Amino acid sequence: MTDALYMNDSYLKEWNAKVVSIKDGIYIVLDKTAFYPKGGGQPCDMGYIIKNGQKFKVIYVGKFSGQISHEIDKLGLNVGDKVFCQLNWERRYTFMRYHTASHLISNVLYTKTNAKITGNQIELDKTRIDFSMTDYSPEKLKAYVDEANNIIENDLPVTINYMSKEEVLQNSELARLAKGLPNLKKFRIVNIGDIDKQVDGGTHISHLKEIGIIKLIKTVNKGKNNRRMYFFLKE
Ligand SMILES: [Zn+2]
């Protein structure tokens, strides 16, 4: 199983690795990787796998049967090769900011209205969040975004810790999300200060101020269980 380096250090941009398997010449599995595979509403990372100065462009990263697979732009890597890897950091960092902003907005919507998040799609210049909310108005959503921006001002730290399934189930905040948890030995918990906890395998910034300012682009009402908002981040 690939060692997913981004789980412990979201800021790792370069690392050495070894090619452990290859399919069709262009689908590469490494012994360890910081390339985040597409998932949870976040697009995949891109960047380079480099062998003796020869650069292979990573054009897609996905998770297949538990393995992180990197699609590269040309043939030339072999099993056993020692490689140097480089993330397109600007792309990843933007996704980390948008993803962490989504946590914060979800937290405010849930705290204020019990809203449940039903979808999330992150892009480089905007992000969409879908949610269910009984009592809704564009003005209220604007106020919730203001509230999220006020929390950012406090620059709370975003931290990672690990819990057993028993510990997750004993925590009332996590338990509401815990239905259908797989049978893993340990679960990764992402905390924003002491206001938010999630079982989560994604990449996050380490302090809220790195988000910048959340700007609401528009809201769309597609029925009580299907509200939608778009936002972008201003540095
Ligand atoms: Zn997350």
Side-chain angles (χ1 to χ4, degrees):
M1 189 73 84
T2 311
D3 186 5
L5 301 171
Y6 57 82
M7 296 277 272
N8 284 324
D9 182 3
S10 292
Y11 287 80
L12 185 70
K13 306 164 184 73
E14 299 181 337
W15 66 101
N16 292 303
K18 207 166 98 179
V19 176
V20 295
S21 74
I22 302 182
K23 190 172 153 255
D24 300 335
I26 54 164
Y27 300 101
I28 311 296
V29 174
L30 302 169
D31 62 340
K32 48 193 176 192
T33 190
F35 283 105
Y36 181 78
K38 180 178 191 278
Q42 184 165 320
C44 70
D45 285 334
M46 291 183 182
Y48 291 99
I49 296 177
I50 303 163
K51 178 175 81 166
N52 300 329
Q54 193 188 3
K55 282 183 149 188
F56 297 85
K57 197 171 184 179
V58 174
I59 54 178
Y60 184 80
V61 186
K63 208 168 193 178
F64 302 98
S65 320
Q67 290 282 24
I68 297 170
S69 168
H70 311 72
E71 181 181 352
I72 54 173
D73 64 336
K74 55 175 181 276
L75 301 173
L77 287 180
N78 300 298
V79 171
D81 281 348
K82 289 191 169 128
V83 293
F84 178 67
C85 304
Q86 249 173 358
L87 284 189
N88 175 336
W89 175 247
E90 205 183 328
R91 175 184 168 89
R92 153 69 88 71
Y93 188 61
T94 300
F95 293 152
M96 282 162 56
R97 291 171 56 229
Y98 273 102
H99 176 69
T100 311
S102 301
H103 274 245
L104 186 57
I105 291 172
S106 310
N107 174 273
V108 172
L109 295 183
Y110 179 74
T111 312
K112 300 279 183 191
T113 74
N114 247 347
K116 291 192 177 56
I117 304 306
T118 53
N120 182 209
Q121 185 56 53
I122 296 168
E123 295 176 48
L124 283 170
D125 60 350
K126 64 176 179 302
T127 281
R128 190 194 84 218
I129 299 182
D130 300 330
F131 50 95
S132 62
M133 187 185 285
T134 316
D135 185 15
Y136 155 95
S137 76
E139 295 71 32
K140 280 186 182 159
L141 270 186
K142 170 84 177 53
Y144 300 144
V145 169
D146 290 344
E147 168 74 14
N149 281 320
N150 287 337
I151 297 172
I152 291 173
E153 279 302 303
N154 297 332
D155 202 22
L156 299 173
V158 181
T159 58
I160 305 285
N161 66 294
Y162 290 90
M163 284 185 186
S164 67
K165 190 165 186 172
E166 291 67 40
E167 287 172 304
V168 170
L169 294 173
Q170 277 162 19
N171 183 299
S172 58
E173 225 177 315
L174 292 172
R176 76 182 164 87
L177 307 163
K179 270 185 203 146
L181 272 189
N183 267 320
L184 296 176
K185 278 214 177 69
K186 59 176 189 174
F187 291 85
R188 182 173 178 265
I189 314 296
V190 175
N191 310 276
I192 299 179
D194 57 3
I195 66 165
D196 190 66
K197 273 186 201 305
Q198 308 265 336
V199 176
D200 185 308
T203 58
H204 310 82
I205 48 161
S206 67
H207 286 87
L208 285 190
K209 273 203 173 163
E210 293 177 57
I211 290 174
I213 302 169
I214 304 171
K215 296 277 189 186
L216 192 59
I217 300 171
K218 65 170 180 174
T219 57
V220 185
N221 185 2
K222 297 161 73 78
K224 117 172 136 66
N225 291 315
N226 200 3
R227 324 285 191 184
R228 178 169 278 190
M229 66 182 278
Y230 294 87
F231 67 90
F232 75 96
L233 299 179
K234 193 165 167 278
E235 281 181 50

